[in-house]
């Protein structure tokens, strides 16, 4: 519910959105056509190594539907996500551990 979004949810959503937008840009270069992209990102809030409460881990779970004959292989999809993570400025700006689970 948009009116009830807390800062932790907004933080996780920002990481997810940045990854998605970066992914879409990278996937456009080899001319992949994406019909839909959704993510069911989950964050873990716990004490960090200094005893402070923080979002220590975020797991992205993107589901992507590609159109047309050009479909990425599992290896190509992993590379697209790896590059997206490398180039996402939010991921590069936080100390949170971010992983991507590619769903089939």
């Amino acid at each position: 519910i948009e009116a009830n979004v807390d800062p932790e949810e907004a933080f996780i959503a920002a990481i997810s959105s940045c990854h998605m937008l970066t992914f879409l840009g990278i996937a456009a270069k080899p001319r992949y056509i994406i019909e839909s992209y959704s993510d069911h990102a989950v964050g873990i809030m716990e004490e960090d190594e200094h005893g402070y409460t923080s979002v220590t881990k975020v797991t992205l779970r993107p589901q992507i539907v590609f159109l047309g004959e050009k479909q990425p292989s599992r290896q190509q999809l992993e590379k697209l996500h790896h590059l997206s993570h490398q180039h996402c400025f939010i991921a590069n700006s936080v100390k949170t551990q971010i992983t991507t689970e590619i769903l089939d």
Side-chain angles (χ1 to χ4, degrees), residues 50-88:
H50 304 291
Y52 298 111
T53 302
S54 62
V55 178
T56 57
K57 299 173 191 159
V58 170
T59 303
L60 305 176
R61 294 186 175 116
Q63 291 183 301
I64 305 159
V65 176
F66 292 87
L67 287 178
E69 292 183 22
K70 188 169 187 175
Q71 299 284 317
S73 68
R74 177 69 180 207
Q75 184 178 7
Q76 290 167 323
L77 193 55
E78 289 173 359
K79 183 176 180 179
L80 289 168
H81 281 294
H82 178 73
L83 289 170
S84 299
H85 180 72
Q86 279 186 320
H87 294 283
C88 170

Side-chain angles (χ1 to χ4, degrees), residues 21-34:
L21 292 172
T22 306
F23 182 94
L24 293 174
I26 291 171
K29 290 179 184 177
R31 300 195 190 281
Y32 287 113
I33 300 170
I34 297 172

Side-chain angles (χ1 to χ4, degrees), residues 2-51:
E2 291 178 20
N4 298 332
V5 173
D6 58 46
E8 298 84 8
E9 289 176 311
F11 178 72
I12 294 163
I15 292 170
S16 174
S17 293
C18 185
H19 184 89
M20 178 191 71
L21 292 172
T22 306
F23 182 94
L24 293 174
I26 291 171
K29 290 179 184 177
R31 300 195 190 281
Y32 287 113
I33 300 170
I34 297 172
E35 178 179 36
S36 65
Y37 183 114
S38 62
D39 188 1
H40 303 284
V42 175
I44 303 293
M45 193 161 65
E46 60 189 355
E47 283 189 12
D48 64 16
E49 66 274 7
H50 304 291

